Short mmCIF file of all heavy atoms in Angstrom, two decimals:
data_model
loop_
_atom_site.label_atom_id
_atom_site.label_comp_id
_atom_site.label_asym_id
_atom_site.label_seq_id
_atom_site.Cartn_x
_atom_site.Cartn_y
_atom_site.Cartn_z
N MET A 1 24.79 12.69 -3.06
CA MET A 1 23.74 11.77 -2.65
C MET A 1 24.34 10.37 -2.55
O MET A 1 25.13 9.95 -3.37
CB MET A 1 22.60 11.79 -3.69
CG MET A 1 21.43 10.96 -3.28
SD MET A 1 20.01 10.98 -4.42
CE MET A 1 19.80 12.67 -4.80
N THR A 2 23.93 9.63 -1.53
CA THR A 2 24.45 8.27 -1.35
C THR A 2 23.49 7.26 -1.95
O THR A 2 22.38 7.59 -2.35
CB THR A 2 24.62 7.97 0.15
OG1 THR A 2 23.32 7.92 0.74
CG2 THR A 2 25.47 9.01 0.85
N ASP A 3 23.92 6.01 -1.98
CA ASP A 3 23.08 4.94 -2.48
C ASP A 3 22.33 4.24 -1.35
O ASP A 3 21.87 3.12 -1.50
CB ASP A 3 23.91 3.91 -3.25
CG ASP A 3 24.40 4.48 -4.56
OD1 ASP A 3 23.75 5.41 -5.09
OD2 ASP A 3 25.43 4.01 -5.06
N SER A 4 22.20 4.88 -0.22
CA SER A 4 21.53 4.29 0.93
C SER A 4 20.03 4.24 0.72
O SER A 4 19.42 5.18 0.21
CB SER A 4 21.83 5.11 2.19
OG SER A 4 21.01 4.70 3.25
N LEU A 5 19.41 3.12 1.14
CA LEU A 5 17.95 3.02 1.05
C LEU A 5 17.28 3.98 2.02
O LEU A 5 16.10 4.29 1.88
CB LEU A 5 17.50 1.59 1.34
CG LEU A 5 17.86 0.57 0.27
CD1 LEU A 5 17.43 -0.83 0.71
CD2 LEU A 5 17.21 0.91 -1.05
N ALA A 6 18.02 4.46 3.02
CA ALA A 6 17.46 5.39 3.98
C ALA A 6 17.36 6.81 3.42
O ALA A 6 16.73 7.66 4.02
CB ALA A 6 18.29 5.40 5.25
N ASP A 7 17.97 7.07 2.29
CA ASP A 7 17.95 8.40 1.70
C ASP A 7 16.58 8.66 1.08
O ASP A 7 16.20 8.02 0.10
CB ASP A 7 19.04 8.52 0.64
CG ASP A 7 19.20 9.94 0.12
OD1 ASP A 7 18.27 10.75 0.30
OD2 ASP A 7 20.24 10.23 -0.47
N PRO A 8 15.79 9.58 1.60
CA PRO A 8 14.43 9.82 1.09
C PRO A 8 14.40 10.50 -0.28
O PRO A 8 13.36 10.60 -0.89
CB PRO A 8 13.81 10.74 2.15
CG PRO A 8 14.97 11.46 2.73
CD PRO A 8 16.11 10.47 2.70
N HIS A 9 15.56 10.94 -0.78
CA HIS A 9 15.60 11.65 -2.04
C HIS A 9 15.86 10.75 -3.25
O HIS A 9 15.86 11.22 -4.38
CB HIS A 9 16.65 12.75 -1.99
CG HIS A 9 16.34 13.77 -0.95
ND1 HIS A 9 16.59 13.56 0.38
CD2 HIS A 9 15.79 14.99 -1.03
CE1 HIS A 9 16.20 14.63 1.07
NE2 HIS A 9 15.71 15.50 0.24
N LEU A 10 16.11 9.47 -2.99
CA LEU A 10 16.37 8.56 -4.10
C LEU A 10 15.11 8.34 -4.91
O LEU A 10 14.01 8.26 -4.37
CB LEU A 10 16.89 7.22 -3.58
CG LEU A 10 18.30 7.22 -3.00
CD1 LEU A 10 18.65 5.84 -2.48
CD2 LEU A 10 19.30 7.64 -4.06
N ARG A 11 15.26 8.20 -6.18
CA ARG A 11 14.15 7.90 -7.08
C ARG A 11 14.37 6.50 -7.62
O ARG A 11 15.44 6.19 -8.14
CB ARG A 11 14.10 8.88 -8.24
CG ARG A 11 14.00 10.31 -7.82
CD ARG A 11 12.57 10.69 -7.68
NE ARG A 11 12.50 12.10 -7.31
CZ ARG A 11 11.51 12.59 -6.63
NH1 ARG A 11 10.54 11.83 -6.25
NH2 ARG A 11 11.50 13.86 -6.32
N PHE A 12 13.36 5.63 -7.51
CA PHE A 12 13.48 4.26 -7.97
C PHE A 12 12.66 4.06 -9.23
O PHE A 12 11.54 4.56 -9.35
CB PHE A 12 13.02 3.28 -6.89
CG PHE A 12 13.91 3.29 -5.69
CD1 PHE A 12 13.58 4.02 -4.58
CD2 PHE A 12 15.09 2.57 -5.68
CE1 PHE A 12 14.41 4.04 -3.47
CE2 PHE A 12 15.93 2.59 -4.58
CZ PHE A 12 15.59 3.33 -3.47
N ALA A 13 13.19 3.30 -10.15
CA ALA A 13 12.47 2.96 -11.37
C ALA A 13 11.41 1.91 -11.03
O ALA A 13 11.55 1.18 -10.06
CB ALA A 13 13.44 2.40 -12.40
N PRO A 14 10.33 1.83 -11.82
CA PRO A 14 9.32 0.80 -11.58
C PRO A 14 9.96 -0.59 -11.61
O PRO A 14 10.88 -0.86 -12.38
CB PRO A 14 8.35 0.97 -12.75
CG PRO A 14 8.55 2.36 -13.22
CD PRO A 14 10.00 2.68 -12.95
N ALA A 15 9.46 -1.49 -10.76
CA ALA A 15 10.05 -2.82 -10.63
C ALA A 15 9.80 -3.68 -11.86
O ALA A 15 10.67 -4.40 -12.31
CB ALA A 15 9.49 -3.50 -9.39
N ALA A 16 8.62 -3.62 -12.41
CA ALA A 16 8.27 -4.46 -13.55
C ALA A 16 8.40 -3.67 -14.84
O ALA A 16 8.02 -2.50 -14.90
CB ALA A 16 6.85 -4.98 -13.40
N PRO A 17 8.92 -4.30 -15.91
CA PRO A 17 9.00 -3.60 -17.19
C PRO A 17 7.61 -3.22 -17.68
O PRO A 17 6.68 -4.01 -17.60
CB PRO A 17 9.64 -4.63 -18.13
CG PRO A 17 10.21 -5.69 -17.25
CD PRO A 17 9.47 -5.63 -15.96
N GLY A 18 7.46 -2.00 -18.12
CA GLY A 18 6.18 -1.55 -18.64
C GLY A 18 5.24 -1.02 -17.56
O GLY A 18 4.20 -0.46 -17.86
N ALA A 19 5.58 -1.19 -16.30
CA ALA A 19 4.73 -0.68 -15.22
C ALA A 19 5.15 0.75 -14.93
O ALA A 19 6.19 0.99 -14.35
CB ALA A 19 4.87 -1.54 -13.97
N GLY A 20 4.35 1.66 -15.35
CA GLY A 20 4.67 3.07 -15.16
C GLY A 20 3.93 3.63 -13.97
O GLY A 20 3.36 2.91 -13.17
N PRO A 21 3.94 4.94 -13.83
CA PRO A 21 3.27 5.57 -12.70
C PRO A 21 1.76 5.39 -12.72
O PRO A 21 1.12 5.58 -11.71
CB PRO A 21 3.65 7.04 -12.83
CG PRO A 21 4.19 7.22 -14.19
CD PRO A 21 4.62 5.88 -14.70
N SER A 22 1.20 5.00 -13.85
CA SER A 22 -0.25 4.82 -13.91
C SER A 22 -0.68 3.41 -13.50
O SER A 22 -1.86 3.16 -13.35
CB SER A 22 -0.75 5.12 -15.32
OG SER A 22 -0.18 4.20 -16.23
N GLY A 23 0.27 2.48 -13.32
CA GLY A 23 -0.06 1.12 -12.92
C GLY A 23 -0.35 1.05 -11.42
O GLY A 23 0.07 1.90 -10.65
N PRO A 24 -1.09 0.03 -11.00
CA PRO A 24 -1.42 -0.07 -9.57
C PRO A 24 -0.19 -0.41 -8.73
O PRO A 24 0.67 -1.17 -9.15
CB PRO A 24 -2.45 -1.19 -9.52
CG PRO A 24 -2.21 -2.01 -10.73
CD PRO A 24 -1.68 -1.06 -11.77
N ARG A 25 -0.13 0.16 -7.54
CA ARG A 25 0.93 -0.14 -6.59
C ARG A 25 0.49 -1.31 -5.73
O ARG A 25 -0.63 -1.33 -5.25
CB ARG A 25 1.21 1.05 -5.68
CG ARG A 25 1.90 2.17 -6.37
CD ARG A 25 2.16 3.28 -5.36
NE ARG A 25 2.94 4.30 -5.97
CZ ARG A 25 4.18 4.59 -5.62
NH1 ARG A 25 4.76 3.94 -4.64
NH2 ARG A 25 4.84 5.54 -6.23
N SER A 26 1.37 -2.25 -5.52
CA SER A 26 1.10 -3.37 -4.61
C SER A 26 1.38 -2.90 -3.19
O SER A 26 2.46 -2.36 -2.92
CB SER A 26 1.98 -4.56 -4.95
OG SER A 26 1.66 -5.05 -6.22
N ILE A 27 0.42 -3.11 -2.29
CA ILE A 27 0.60 -2.67 -0.91
C ILE A 27 0.23 -3.79 0.06
O ILE A 27 -0.52 -4.71 -0.28
CB ILE A 27 -0.22 -1.41 -0.59
CG1 ILE A 27 -1.72 -1.67 -0.74
CG2 ILE A 27 0.20 -0.24 -1.46
CD1 ILE A 27 -2.58 -0.55 -0.20
N VAL A 28 0.77 -3.70 1.25
CA VAL A 28 0.45 -4.59 2.35
C VAL A 28 -0.17 -3.72 3.43
O VAL A 28 0.35 -2.65 3.75
CB VAL A 28 1.73 -5.26 2.90
CG1 VAL A 28 1.42 -6.06 4.15
CG2 VAL A 28 2.36 -6.13 1.83
N ILE A 29 -1.30 -4.15 3.98
CA ILE A 29 -1.96 -3.40 5.03
C ILE A 29 -1.79 -4.16 6.34
O ILE A 29 -2.34 -5.25 6.51
CB ILE A 29 -3.45 -3.15 4.71
CG1 ILE A 29 -3.57 -2.36 3.41
CG2 ILE A 29 -4.12 -2.42 5.87
CD1 ILE A 29 -4.99 -2.11 2.96
N LEU A 30 -1.01 -3.58 7.24
CA LEU A 30 -0.80 -4.16 8.56
C LEU A 30 -1.83 -3.58 9.52
O LEU A 30 -2.11 -2.39 9.49
CB LEU A 30 0.62 -3.85 9.06
CG LEU A 30 1.76 -4.26 8.12
CD1 LEU A 30 3.09 -3.79 8.69
CD2 LEU A 30 1.75 -5.75 7.91
N GLY A 31 -2.41 -4.42 10.34
CA GLY A 31 -3.44 -3.95 11.26
C GLY A 31 -4.72 -3.60 10.52
O GLY A 31 -5.34 -2.57 10.77
N SER A 32 -5.10 -4.44 9.59
CA SER A 32 -6.20 -4.13 8.68
C SER A 32 -7.56 -4.03 9.34
O SER A 32 -8.49 -3.49 8.75
CB SER A 32 -6.25 -5.16 7.55
OG SER A 32 -6.50 -6.45 8.08
N THR A 33 -7.73 -4.55 10.55
CA THR A 33 -9.03 -4.46 11.21
C THR A 33 -9.11 -3.31 12.20
O THR A 33 -10.16 -3.07 12.79
CB THR A 33 -9.36 -5.78 11.95
OG1 THR A 33 -8.35 -6.03 12.93
CG2 THR A 33 -9.45 -6.93 10.98
N GLY A 34 -8.03 -2.58 12.36
CA GLY A 34 -8.02 -1.43 13.25
C GLY A 34 -8.54 -0.18 12.54
O GLY A 34 -8.91 -0.20 11.37
N SER A 35 -8.55 0.90 13.26
CA SER A 35 -9.08 2.16 12.75
C SER A 35 -8.35 2.64 11.49
O SER A 35 -8.97 2.93 10.47
CB SER A 35 -8.97 3.21 13.86
OG SER A 35 -9.10 4.50 13.37
N ILE A 36 -7.03 2.71 11.54
CA ILE A 36 -6.26 3.18 10.39
C ILE A 36 -6.29 2.16 9.27
O ILE A 36 -6.38 2.51 8.08
CB ILE A 36 -4.82 3.52 10.81
CG1 ILE A 36 -4.84 4.70 11.77
CG2 ILE A 36 -3.94 3.82 9.60
CD1 ILE A 36 -3.51 5.03 12.40
N GLY A 37 -6.25 0.86 9.60
CA GLY A 37 -6.30 -0.19 8.59
C GLY A 37 -7.60 -0.17 7.80
O GLY A 37 -7.59 -0.31 6.58
N THR A 38 -8.73 0.00 8.48
CA THR A 38 -10.01 0.05 7.76
C THR A 38 -10.10 1.29 6.89
O THR A 38 -10.67 1.25 5.80
CB THR A 38 -11.21 -0.02 8.73
OG1 THR A 38 -11.11 1.03 9.68
CG2 THR A 38 -11.27 -1.36 9.44
N GLN A 39 -9.50 2.39 7.33
CA GLN A 39 -9.47 3.60 6.49
C GLN A 39 -8.61 3.38 5.26
O GLN A 39 -8.95 3.83 4.16
CB GLN A 39 -8.95 4.78 7.30
CG GLN A 39 -9.92 5.23 8.39
CD GLN A 39 -9.34 6.34 9.22
OE1 GLN A 39 -8.77 7.29 8.69
NE2 GLN A 39 -9.47 6.23 10.53
N ALA A 40 -7.48 2.66 5.43
CA ALA A 40 -6.63 2.36 4.28
C ALA A 40 -7.37 1.48 3.27
O ALA A 40 -7.26 1.68 2.06
CB ALA A 40 -5.35 1.66 4.75
N ILE A 41 -8.12 0.51 3.76
CA ILE A 41 -8.90 -0.36 2.87
C ILE A 41 -9.96 0.46 2.13
O ILE A 41 -10.20 0.25 0.94
CB ILE A 41 -9.52 -1.52 3.65
CG1 ILE A 41 -8.40 -2.47 4.10
CG2 ILE A 41 -10.56 -2.25 2.82
CD1 ILE A 41 -8.84 -3.55 5.06
N ASP A 42 -10.58 1.42 2.80
CA ASP A 42 -11.55 2.30 2.13
C ASP A 42 -10.89 3.06 0.99
O ASP A 42 -11.47 3.20 -0.09
CB ASP A 42 -12.16 3.29 3.13
CG ASP A 42 -13.15 2.67 4.07
OD1 ASP A 42 -13.66 1.56 3.76
OD2 ASP A 42 -13.43 3.28 5.12
N VAL A 43 -9.67 3.55 1.20
CA VAL A 43 -8.94 4.27 0.14
C VAL A 43 -8.68 3.34 -1.04
O VAL A 43 -8.87 3.72 -2.20
CB VAL A 43 -7.62 4.86 0.69
CG1 VAL A 43 -6.75 5.39 -0.44
CG2 VAL A 43 -7.91 5.95 1.70
N VAL A 44 -8.27 2.10 -0.76
CA VAL A 44 -8.01 1.13 -1.83
C VAL A 44 -9.30 0.84 -2.60
O VAL A 44 -9.30 0.79 -3.84
CB VAL A 44 -7.42 -0.17 -1.25
CG1 VAL A 44 -7.37 -1.26 -2.30
CG2 VAL A 44 -6.03 0.09 -0.69
N LEU A 45 -10.40 0.64 -1.89
CA LEU A 45 -11.66 0.33 -2.56
C LEU A 45 -12.15 1.48 -3.43
O LEU A 45 -12.78 1.26 -4.46
CB LEU A 45 -12.73 -0.04 -1.53
CG LEU A 45 -12.52 -1.37 -0.82
CD1 LEU A 45 -13.55 -1.55 0.30
CD2 LEU A 45 -12.60 -2.52 -1.81
N ARG A 46 -11.82 2.70 -3.05
CA ARG A 46 -12.21 3.87 -3.85
C ARG A 46 -11.28 4.11 -5.03
O ARG A 46 -11.60 4.88 -5.93
CB ARG A 46 -12.24 5.12 -2.97
CG ARG A 46 -13.38 5.13 -1.99
CD ARG A 46 -13.48 6.48 -1.30
NE ARG A 46 -14.42 6.39 -0.21
CZ ARG A 46 -14.11 6.54 1.08
NH1 ARG A 46 -12.88 6.81 1.42
NH2 ARG A 46 -15.03 6.43 1.99
N ASN A 47 -10.10 3.47 -5.00
CA ASN A 47 -9.08 3.70 -6.04
C ASN A 47 -8.49 2.38 -6.53
O ASN A 47 -7.26 2.18 -6.46
CB ASN A 47 -7.96 4.58 -5.47
CG ASN A 47 -8.45 5.93 -5.05
OD1 ASN A 47 -8.64 6.80 -5.89
ND2 ASN A 47 -8.68 6.11 -3.77
N PRO A 48 -9.30 1.47 -7.07
CA PRO A 48 -8.78 0.16 -7.48
C PRO A 48 -7.77 0.23 -8.62
O PRO A 48 -6.96 -0.68 -8.77
CB PRO A 48 -10.03 -0.60 -7.89
CG PRO A 48 -11.02 0.45 -8.25
CD PRO A 48 -10.72 1.61 -7.35
N GLU A 49 -7.79 1.30 -9.39
CA GLU A 49 -6.83 1.43 -10.49
C GLU A 49 -5.46 1.87 -9.98
O GLU A 49 -4.47 1.75 -10.70
CB GLU A 49 -7.35 2.42 -11.52
CG GLU A 49 -7.34 3.89 -11.09
CD GLU A 49 -8.45 4.28 -10.11
OE1 GLU A 49 -9.38 3.48 -9.87
OE2 GLU A 49 -8.39 5.39 -9.58
N ARG A 50 -5.39 2.34 -8.73
CA ARG A 50 -4.12 2.83 -8.18
C ARG A 50 -3.44 1.86 -7.23
O ARG A 50 -2.23 1.91 -7.05
CB ARG A 50 -4.35 4.15 -7.45
CG ARG A 50 -4.77 5.27 -8.39
CD ARG A 50 -4.90 6.57 -7.68
NE ARG A 50 -3.60 6.97 -7.16
CZ ARG A 50 -3.44 7.93 -6.26
NH1 ARG A 50 -4.47 8.56 -5.77
NH2 ARG A 50 -2.22 8.24 -5.83
N PHE A 51 -4.24 0.98 -6.57
CA PHE A 51 -3.69 0.11 -5.54
C PHE A 51 -4.15 -1.33 -5.71
O PHE A 51 -5.28 -1.59 -6.12
CB PHE A 51 -4.11 0.59 -4.14
CG PHE A 51 -3.73 2.01 -3.85
CD1 PHE A 51 -4.69 3.00 -3.87
CD2 PHE A 51 -2.43 2.35 -3.57
CE1 PHE A 51 -4.35 4.32 -3.60
CE2 PHE A 51 -2.08 3.66 -3.30
CZ PHE A 51 -3.04 4.65 -3.32
N ARG A 52 -3.24 -2.25 -5.34
CA ARG A 52 -3.57 -3.68 -5.31
C ARG A 52 -3.05 -4.21 -3.97
O ARG A 52 -1.85 -4.13 -3.69
CB ARG A 52 -2.89 -4.40 -6.46
CG ARG A 52 -3.08 -5.90 -6.44
CD ARG A 52 -2.33 -6.58 -7.55
NE ARG A 52 -0.99 -6.00 -7.67
CZ ARG A 52 -0.30 -5.97 -8.78
NH1 ARG A 52 -0.78 -6.49 -9.89
NH2 ARG A 52 0.90 -5.44 -8.82
N VAL A 53 -3.96 -4.73 -3.14
CA VAL A 53 -3.56 -5.27 -1.85
C VAL A 53 -2.99 -6.66 -2.06
O VAL A 53 -3.66 -7.53 -2.61
CB VAL A 53 -4.76 -5.31 -0.87
CG1 VAL A 53 -4.36 -5.95 0.44
CG2 VAL A 53 -5.31 -3.90 -0.64
N THR A 54 -1.77 -6.87 -1.60
CA THR A 54 -1.13 -8.17 -1.76
C THR A 54 -1.13 -8.97 -0.46
O THR A 54 -0.96 -10.18 -0.49
CB THR A 54 0.31 -8.02 -2.27
OG1 THR A 54 1.04 -7.19 -1.37
CG2 THR A 54 0.33 -7.40 -3.66
N ALA A 55 -1.32 -8.30 0.68
CA ALA A 55 -1.37 -9.01 1.96
C ALA A 55 -2.08 -8.15 3.00
O ALA A 55 -2.06 -6.92 2.93
CB ALA A 55 0.03 -9.35 2.44
N LEU A 56 -2.72 -8.84 3.94
CA LEU A 56 -3.37 -8.19 5.07
C LEU A 56 -2.86 -8.85 6.34
O LEU A 56 -2.56 -10.04 6.35
CB LEU A 56 -4.89 -8.37 5.03
CG LEU A 56 -5.67 -7.75 3.88
CD1 LEU A 56 -7.11 -8.22 3.93
CD2 LEU A 56 -5.60 -6.25 3.96
N SER A 57 -2.84 -8.09 7.43
CA SER A 57 -2.55 -8.69 8.73
C SER A 57 -3.52 -8.09 9.73
O SER A 57 -4.04 -6.99 9.54
CB SER A 57 -1.11 -8.43 9.17
OG SER A 57 -0.99 -7.12 9.69
N ALA A 58 -3.78 -8.86 10.78
CA ALA A 58 -4.65 -8.39 11.86
C ALA A 58 -4.25 -9.11 13.14
O ALA A 58 -4.22 -10.33 13.18
CB ALA A 58 -6.10 -8.65 11.53
N ALA A 59 -3.93 -8.34 14.16
CA ALA A 59 -3.52 -8.94 15.43
C ALA A 59 -4.64 -8.87 16.46
O ALA A 59 -4.54 -9.47 17.51
CB ALA A 59 -2.28 -8.24 15.97
N GLY A 60 -5.69 -8.15 16.15
CA GLY A 60 -6.79 -8.00 17.10
C GLY A 60 -7.75 -9.19 17.04
O GLY A 60 -7.52 -10.18 16.35
N GLY A 61 -8.83 -9.09 17.76
CA GLY A 61 -9.79 -10.19 17.84
C GLY A 61 -10.97 -10.05 16.89
O GLY A 61 -11.97 -10.73 17.08
N ARG A 62 -10.87 -9.20 15.88
CA ARG A 62 -12.00 -8.97 14.97
C ARG A 62 -11.85 -9.83 13.71
O ARG A 62 -11.74 -9.35 12.61
CB ARG A 62 -12.07 -7.49 14.62
CG ARG A 62 -12.27 -6.61 15.87
CD ARG A 62 -12.08 -5.15 15.60
NE ARG A 62 -13.12 -4.64 14.73
CZ ARG A 62 -13.16 -3.40 14.29
NH1 ARG A 62 -12.23 -2.55 14.64
NH2 ARG A 62 -14.13 -3.00 13.49
N VAL A 63 -11.88 -11.14 13.93
CA VAL A 63 -11.66 -12.09 12.85
C VAL A 63 -12.73 -11.96 11.76
O VAL A 63 -12.44 -12.06 10.57
CB VAL A 63 -11.63 -13.54 13.41
CG1 VAL A 63 -11.48 -14.56 12.30
CG2 VAL A 63 -10.52 -13.67 14.42
N GLU A 64 -13.97 -11.72 12.15
CA GLU A 64 -15.05 -11.59 11.16
C GLU A 64 -14.82 -10.40 10.23
O GLU A 64 -15.15 -10.45 9.06
CB GLU A 64 -16.41 -11.48 11.86
CG GLU A 64 -16.66 -10.19 12.63
CD GLU A 64 -15.94 -10.06 13.97
OE1 GLU A 64 -15.42 -11.07 14.47
OE2 GLU A 64 -15.90 -8.94 14.50
N LEU A 65 -14.23 -9.35 10.74
CA LEU A 65 -13.92 -8.18 9.91
C LEU A 65 -12.80 -8.51 8.92
O LEU A 65 -12.85 -8.11 7.76
CB LEU A 65 -13.55 -6.99 10.77
CG LEU A 65 -13.34 -5.66 10.04
CD1 LEU A 65 -14.56 -5.27 9.25
CD2 LEU A 65 -12.99 -4.58 11.05
N LEU A 66 -11.82 -9.26 9.35
CA LEU A 66 -10.73 -9.66 8.46
C LEU A 66 -11.27 -10.55 7.34
O LEU A 66 -10.90 -10.41 6.19
CB LEU A 66 -9.64 -10.40 9.22
CG LEU A 66 -8.45 -10.91 8.40
CD1 LEU A 66 -7.73 -9.73 7.74
CD2 LEU A 66 -7.50 -11.70 9.27
N ALA A 67 -12.17 -11.45 7.67
CA ALA A 67 -12.75 -12.36 6.67
C ALA A 67 -13.53 -11.56 5.64
O ALA A 67 -13.52 -11.82 4.47
CB ALA A 67 -13.66 -13.38 7.34
#
């Protein structure tokens, strides 16, 4: 096995000390006002103990939805 980041078999330790598999994952949602983005936000809202949104992006014209 190589040390390449492209290797899907690598296992990474949690970034923060004490943050185990039960801690929330920080995620960024790109295209948050689109179909897949709104579905991703629904998943986060249903699982607040598992995910923490750190950033959103939206390139479409649905500014009110982003707000």
Side-chain angles (χ1 to χ4, degrees):
M1 185 177 314
T2 67
D3 289 335
S4 169
L5 291 177
D7 188 341
H9 298 78
L10 289 177
R11 303 271 182 207
F12 293 98
S22 63
R25 288 182 174 247
S26 295
I27 62 170
V28 174
I29 300 177
L30 305 175
S32 62
T33 60
S35 164
I36 295 173
T38 56
Q39 292 176 44
I41 291 171
D42 286 341
V43 170
V44 170
L45 290 173
R46 289 189 190 116
N47 298 281
E49 71 285 350
R50 294 184 64 194
F51 303 105
R52 175 183 43 207
V53 176
T54 57
L56 296 172
S57 79
R62 300 169 67 184
V63 177
E64 69 285 346
L65 186 57
L66 179 61

